[in-house]
Amino acid sequence: MRRWLPIALAAAATHPARADGVVEELSAGTASGSRWVSNQLAGMWDVDPAWQLRLDLSATRAGGSATGETYIGSLSAVFSPDPHWSLRFNGGWSPEVASDVTVQVPIGGGVNPDAQLHATASWVVLGAGVDYSSASSDMHSVSASLAVGETYFRTHQEVVGVQDWTSPGSGKLSAADAVLRCQTVMCAPNVSGMLLPQMAELGQFALNASITDTVDGDTDLSLGASYYLYGDDPGRPGYFALSTLAAGTRASATSAPLLRAGLAPSVTHRWGALSTTLGLAYTRNASRREFDASAALSIQYGIALTAPRRLMLDARLEADAHGYTTDRPTPAGSAALGMQYIW
């Protein structure tokens, strides 16, 4: 699910293990008629006993109803002065990426004709957070984190054609002709703005918090929550590209969703070298009319090599549903394989 916002930063925001290492993950999925494949590579470096740096790079190619290539980079630093507290700082960037997407335009009266949208988007993000761990060997060990982040989006959209909704089967209208048609046939507010070329900038402020209770050292019960604020109304026409691409393109810079709030419980259990995680997530978009729900199952197996080297193998399956409060959700899914080598 596109809590990969962005995928590299989601990984960098977690408290990493204290070790040098490299991580690679290959993933693929489908959503709303689009297909994507992604490769993420990360490196971790212990600068000294208190500081660790992590660099994440990812590349994604999408096809089907949404096409385009996306590249994301992020850098994070973690400062751990003692076993209990850690401070982390992260930044990320995605160069401008172009996508061609088939979307639906809400004309009104339940009419939503298909439109071809050409859009470009880029973003930059800065964030900071604090982590706490009780570092206890008792039956219950508690850890918690609090993080804030600011994302700056820049996007340009242009509708290149719209299905003629007044005469089904008669072909497509240009964006200009569709605007003229809206002057003779009543359209919903803001539709004309969506059909005209738009350039927009938007700031998004994110607040994320999580808490984990480790029971008997082998079971983690976790709960994460997030809330988002914006420097402008994210529902205005210029942001149609961002909000639409959010629903149609997974694991890309332009799929950074315009969210309002999210909740994500999970449980992890370890059997020696084998561990499994079951996670659920629910997010509501800024429009309050769209939502995402997902369930993910992850399996990890550790292989001990010559000390202190070790190899971790990962596999993940995820099922998603994206929908509107008045419509049936659209299913989506993804799968990933990854490895982590620590030395």
Side-chain angles (χ1 to χ4, degrees), residues 52-211:
Q52 185 184 69
L53 296 179
R54 173 168 173 149
L55 176 65
D56 287 77
L57 301 171
S58 69
T60 301
R61 172 174 291 183
S65 63
T67 61
E69 295 182 356
T70 304
Y71 302 94
I72 300 174
S74 71
L75 179 66
S76 65
V78 178
F79 175 62
S80 304
D82 60 46
H84 298 284
W85 293 96
S86 294
L87 297 175
R88 46 190 164 87
F89 311 91
N90 60 270
W93 172 70
S94 173
E96 186 174 89
V97 57
S99 296
D100 294 291
V101 190
T102 300
V103 301
Q104 290 187 330
V105 179
I107 297 296
V111 179
N112 300 288
D114 287 340
Q116 282 65 54
L117 177 70
H118 178 77
T120 62
S122 62
W123 54 258
V124 62
V125 60
L126 293 174
V130 58
D131 301 317
Y132 171 79
S133 175
S134 64
S136 172
S137 59
D138 297 335
M139 180 178 179
H140 292 276
S141 177
V142 178
S143 59
S145 69
L146 181 65
V148 295
E150 177 72 20
T151 305
Y152 171 77
F153 296 101
R154 183 181 180 91
T155 179
H156 179 269
Q157 68 173 46
E158 182 177 359
V159 175
V160 296
V162 183
Q163 189 71 37
D164 188 348
W165 67 94
T166 60
S167 302
S170 61
K172 296 180 181 179
L173 301 172
S174 68
D177 289 340
V179 172
L180 292 175
R181 186 66 56 88
C182 277
Q183 294 177 358
T184 58
V185 179
M186 185 64 67
C187 291
N190 296 330
V191 169
S192 294
M194 293 179 182
L195 296 174
L196 296 175
Q198 299 282 342
M199 178 173 287
E201 298 175 351
L202 179 66
Q204 179 194 68
F205 178 81
L207 176 64
N208 299 282
S210 66
I211 186 169

Side-chain angles (χ1 to χ4, degrees), residues 305-322:
L305 305 175
T306 305
R309 297 177 177 85
R310 63 184 184 275
L311 180 66
M312 310 294 290
L313 304 177
D314 297 273
R316 186 183 71 254
L317 293 175
E318 183 171 327
D320 302 278
H322 176 90

Side-chain angles (χ1 to χ4, degrees), residues 263-333:
L263 197 64
S266 66
V267 57
T268 299
H269 187 76
R270 290 172 287 276
W271 294 271
L274 178 68
S275 68
T276 61
T277 299
L278 176 63
L280 304 176
Y282 178 84
T283 56
R284 177 76 71 173
N285 281 33
S287 66
R288 302 184 187 276
R289 297 189 300 271
E290 294 180 70
F291 67 90
D292 279 285
S294 70
L297 176 65
S298 301
I299 300 176
Q300 184 179 78
Y301 184 76
I303 301 175
L305 305 175
T306 305
R309 297 177 177 85
R310 63 184 184 275
L311 180 66
M312 310 294 290
L313 304 177
D314 297 273
R316 186 183 71 254
L317 293 175
E318 183 171 327
D320 302 278
H322 176 90
Y324 296 82
T325 53
T326 57
D327 296 327
R328 178 177 297 181
T330 302

